[in-house]
Amino acid sequence: MIQSRRRWAIRSVVLVVLLLVSSLIAPSVGASEDLDELEQLLAIEEEDEGTGEVGISGKPSEAEVLKRAQGIVLELSNDNAKRVVDGNEFVLVLGYAPWCPRSAELMPRFAEAATALKEMGGRLVMAKLDAERHVKAASLLGIKGFPSLLFFQNGTAQPYTGGFAGEEIVIWAQKKTGSPVIRLKSTSAAEEFLRAHQTFAIGCFENFEGPEYEEFVKAAVADNNIQFAEVNDLNVAKVLSPDIKNGKHFLGLIKSEPEVFVEFGDVFEADKILRFIEFNKFPLVTTLTELNSARVFSSPINLQVFVFAGADDFKHLLSPLQDAARKYKTKIMFVYADSAEDNLSKPFLTLFGLEADNPVVTAFDSRTGAKYLLEWDLTPKNLDEFCSGLLHGTLTPYFKSESVPQTTGIVRKIVGRTFGPVIIDSSENVFLEVYSPWCIDCEATSKQVEKLAEHFKEVGSLIFGRIDASLNEHPKLQVENFPTLLFYPSGNKSNPVTFKENKLWGVVDFINKYVASEEVKALSTDETTKDEL
C-alpha cells in the first residue's frame, strides 16, 4: 500500500512538472494575431513514430501524449483568453493549477482528447489555462476550482457534463460541435470506429428515416456520454459485433468485455432508449476510478455491490463476479475498488469500520441508505445468496461495532453489539453519553458524566454508559451532534430524554425525581453539587 502511494505521488509530481513545462513552451496568441495564425498554432506536429515514448501496453505514455498535444492545445493567458473564447465558435477550456494532483491526472486525458479531435477535424478549439497564474482570465471565464472544464459556444459559457476519460471528452465534444450520430458506411470505417470506442450504441436503419429513427437521434442528442453510431448494412454491423442478429433494423449497446452486445428490446422511444443505455452502459464489473466515480455514484441502479481487494486477488475474483453480475444485470451494479488506493477505498471501508487485509464484499441501497456486509467466505454460492437477499430485501443491514469490552467501569463502554442488550432490552434506567474522538467539547463533558456516575453509584437501577459513535452504530441510535446526552427510562426505551451538556447539573434533579426507588437517597441540587458538575 505504501509503495502504491509512493508510485502515485511520483507519478503526480512528474505530471505536474510536465504540465509546467508545457505551459512554458505551449503556443499563445498575441494581440495582433489573426485566425490564420491561430490555425497554424493548431496544426499537428508531425512525430517520428520510431522515437515516441511508449507505455507497457503499447499505447503512448502520458508524457508522450502531453508532448504530442503541445501544438494542439492553446495556452491561454490574461491577454488572450477573452479573444480566443469570443473569436471561435467552439472552445473547450481546461482550467488547472500546477500544484493540483487532480489537474495533473486530467491533463493527459485532455491532451489525448485534443489529439483525437484534431485528427477527426472540426471547429473545436482546445485550450488550457493556468488559473493560479492568470487569475484575471480565470475570473473572466468563471473558473472557480481545479481542475475545471468549461465549454464556450460563440463566447457563451455552457456547463460541461461529460466524463473525464479521453474518449468521454471526445464523445461529449463531438456531440456539442458536430453530429450526435456517426454513420458507418463501410467495414473499414467500422473497424476504425471500433478501435476508437470501447462502449457505444449502434442502430441499424434501412433508410435512416421514420419515427423510430427520429427517436434514436433524439436519444443520441440527449445522451452526452455514449457515442451513437448508425449503419444500414448488416455486414458493417457485424464488424462491430458478431453477436448482432440478422434483421433490417435493431438497436443495441456494444461494450469491450465478454458480454459484447446487449440488444434493446423495448419500444423505440427516446426516453426508453436512454433508460436502456443508463442501465446497461457500465461493464459487468466496473473498476472505480477518480475519473468515473461521479458517474458510478449517480447510477440509476439503486443496489450496488462493492468489492474491495488487491489487484492480485481481484484477478481470481473477476470471473465469479462477472457471473453474478450477469445474473443480476440491470438490477444490481457491481463495482471493484482497489484496496491499495486509499482515496477510493478507505472512505467506504471506514463506513464499515473495516480494513481490507483480505477481500471485502459490501453492498448499498441508495434508496434507504442501508449498507450490508458479506460476512461469510467469498464463494460463488455465498455471493449469489448475498445478492439474492439484497435484491429481495431479506438481508440484515450492517451496523459497525467495536469488540465487546471485557471489563466495565463506573461508566460502561457501550459498543454497537451491546447497545441492544444494555440500553434497549435491559430493565434499568440508562444515562448514555454519545461522543466522537474529534469532538472538541466531548472531553469536558465526559468528566462531568463521570462525576454524575460517581454521585449515583449506589443506585442499582441506573446505568451510566458511553458510546463512540464514530466506531459504533445501531438502528435506534440516531444523533447529529456531539456530545449528545440521552436518558432511557426503564419503562419507555423508545423515547429517550435529551439533555444539553451545558446544563448537566440539572440531571441530578431529574434523576432524583424520575428514578423513584428505595435506593435513591434524598439528594438535592444544592450549590455544592451544581458547582461540581
Side-chain angles (χ1 to χ4, degrees):
M1 183 180 295
I2 293 175
Q3 290 179 343
S4 175
R5 285 198 295 266
R6 287 175 178 169
R7 287 196 300 270
W8 182 87
I10 292 171
R11 174 175 169 274
S12 295
V13 170
V14 171
L15 289 176
V16 168
V17 172
L18 286 168
L19 189 152
L20 283 168
V21 171
S22 65
S23 298
L24 294 173
I25 66 177
S28 61
V29 184
S32 61
E33 292 175 323
D34 57 20
L35 291 178
D36 290 338
E37 291 172 316
L38 181 60
E39 287 298 321
Q40 184 178 3
L41 284 170
L42 292 173
I44 300 176
E45 298 176 357
E46 297 201 351
E47 297 286 341
D48 182 355
E49 293 182 0
T51 61
E53 184 181 347
V54 178
I56 296 175
S57 65
K59 296 181 178 180
S61 67
E62 292 182 344
E64 181 66 13
V65 169
L66 285 168
K67 182 179 179 182
R68 291 180 181 178
Q70 287 172 7
I72 303 172
V73 179
L74 288 178
E75 182 71 28
L76 301 182
S77 66
N78 289 331
D79 296 327
N80 69 8
K82 180 173 175 56
R83 184 171 61 258
V84 170
V85 168
D86 290 344
N88 293 275
E89 184 178 8
F90 302 114
V91 183
L92 184 60
V93 178
L94 167 61
Y96 68 91
W99 49 261
C100 171
R102 294 289 298 275
S103 295
E105 186 174 5
L106 182 56
M107 183 63 74
R109 309 285 83 79
F110 188 77
E112 176 187 335
T115 303
L117 287 165
K118 185 62 181 178
E119 291 173 353
M120 295 175 185
R123 297 162 292 173
L124 177 66
V125 175
M126 301 283 280
K128 61 182 180 179
L129 174 71
D130 182 342
E132 187 177 63
R133 179 182 177 189
H134 301 285
V135 178
K136 180 181 177 182
S139 176
L140 176 69
L141 299 182
I143 296 173
K144 299 178 181 179
F146 311 118
S148 293
L149 281 175
L150 298 173
F151 179 72
F152 294 87
Q153 183 172 359
N154 295 320
T156 301
Q158 297 181 18
Y160 176 82
T161 56
F164 297 98
E167 181 185 351
E168 293 170 330
I169 295 173
V170 170
I171 291 170
W172 192 91
Q174 278 187 311
K175 291 196 174 189
K176 289 294 183 181
T177 62
S179 173
V181 183
I182 295 177
R183 183 170 296 177
L184 305 176
K185 299 179 180 180
S186 65
T187 55
S188 59
E191 289 170 352
E192 183 178 350
F193 178 85
L194 190 60
R195 285 192 292 269
H197 296 85
Q198 293 184 336
T199 301
F200 55 92
I202 179 70
C204 182
F205 303 91
E206 189 173 3
N207 297 312
F208 303 119
E209 61 183 14
E212 292 185 340
Y213 177 68
E214 291 174 1
E215 292 297 314
F216 174 76
V217 174
K218 283 182 185 178
V221 172
D223 189 297
N224 291 318
N225 297 306
I226 297 294
Q227 181 62 61
F228 280 57
E230 59 187 25
V231 299
N232 62 357
D233 185 338
L234 191 61
N235 293 323
V236 175
K238 285 186 176 292
V239 171
L240 302 173
S241 172
D243 295 336
I244 292 176
K245 300 176 183 178
N246 293 332
K248 289 189 176 181
H249 91 272
F250 61 82
L251 169 63
L253 199 63
I254 293 178
K255 299 183 284 186
S256 300
E257 62 169 9
E259 189 184 41
V260 176
F261 180 69
V262 184
E263 187 172 4
F264 176 70
D266 207 337
V267 178
F268 273 67
E269 295 177 359
D271 290 344
K272 292 183 178 180
I273 294 173
L274 291 170
R275 178 177 173 82
F276 164 76
I277 290 173
E278 279 297 310
F279 277 81
N280 288 277
K281 67 182 180 181
F282 287 102
L284 289 173
V285 180
T286 299
T287 297
L288 187 67
T289 68
E290 292 280 5
L291 297 176
N292 70 8
S293 58
R295 290 187 294 113
V296 169
F297 301 148
S298 62
S299 168
I301 301 177
N302 296 311
L303 302 176
Q304 299 186 342
V305 169
F306 277 74
V307 179
F308 303 91
D312 291 338
D313 287 330
F314 180 64
K315 292 177 183 177
H316 304 290
L317 296 173
L318 180 57
S319 180
L321 286 172
Q322 286 178 331
D323 289 340
R326 194 173 287 109
K327 180 176 180 179
Y328 296 98
K329 187 174 63 175
T330 74
K331 297 180 177 65
I332 299 176
M333 184 175 183
F334 286 74
V335 182
Y336 160 67
D338 188 342
S339 56
E341 298 288 343
D342 281 355
N343 55 328
L344 293 172
S345 61
K346 195 164 186 177
F348 288 95
L349 293 172
T350 300
L351 291 174
F352 290 83
L354 300 172
E355 297 287 341
D357 298 326
N358 295 304
V360 174
V361 178
T362 67
F364 298 89
D365 185 340
S366 62
R367 296 167 298 187
T368 64
K371 60 183 185 290
Y372 307 89
L373 175 68
L374 176 62
E375 301 187 65
W376 320 299
D377 293 336
L378 179 48
T379 64
K381 181 177 182 295
N382 288 340
L383 179 61
D384 181 64
E385 290 179 359
F386 180 73
C387 294
S388 178
L390 176 66
L391 181 62
H392 296 100
T394 58
L395 284 184
T396 301
Y398 177 83
F399 297 95
K400 62 184 176 182
S401 174
E402 294 179 274
S403 301
V404 176
Q406 300 301 312
T407 59
T408 59
I410 192 168
V411 178
R412 292 192 191 183
K413 179 178 180 179
I414 308 297
V415 299
R417 294 173 187 170
T418 61
F419 186 90
V422 176
I423 307 294
I424 303 300
D425 301 331
S426 68
S427 59
E428 291 91 353
N429 301 285
V430 182
F431 185 90
L432 181 67
E433 172 197 352
V434 186
Y435 76 99
S436 178
W438 47 260
C439 166
I440 297 175
D441 299 323
C442 287
E443 184 176 356
T445 301
S446 292
K447 292 179 180 179
Q448 292 181 317
V449 171
E450 288 171 2
K451 290 180 180 180
L452 273 176
E454 179 67 27
H455 192 70
F456 288 103
K457 64 182 179 181
E458 300 300 328
V459 181
S461 61
L462 178 61
I463 296 173
F464 282 83
R466 175 181 295 142
I467 186 169
D468 181 349
S470 69
L471 300 175
N472 301 278
E473 297 173 324
H474 191 276
K476 293 187 177 180
L477 179 64
Q478 303 295 329
V479 297
E480 296 179 356
N481 301 306
F482 303 107
T484 294
L485 303 175
L486 302 169
F487 181 80
Y488 292 84
S490 59
N492 190 9
K493 295 294 183 73
S494 60
N495 292 296
V497 178
T498 303
F499 294 97
K500 293 183 178 180
E501 69 276 6
N502 60 349
K503 298 199 176 174
L504 198 55
W505 57 265
V507 175
V508 177
D509 274 343
F510 178 86
I511 293 177
N512 277 331
K513 294 175 182 177
Y514 194 91
V515 187
S517 167
E518 293 181 356
E519 301 172 274
V520 181
K521 299 178 180 179
L523 301 171
S524 62
T525 52
D526 57 25
E527 293 304 318
T528 302
T529 304
K530 293 178 183 178
D531 291 341
E532 289 177 354
L533 297 176

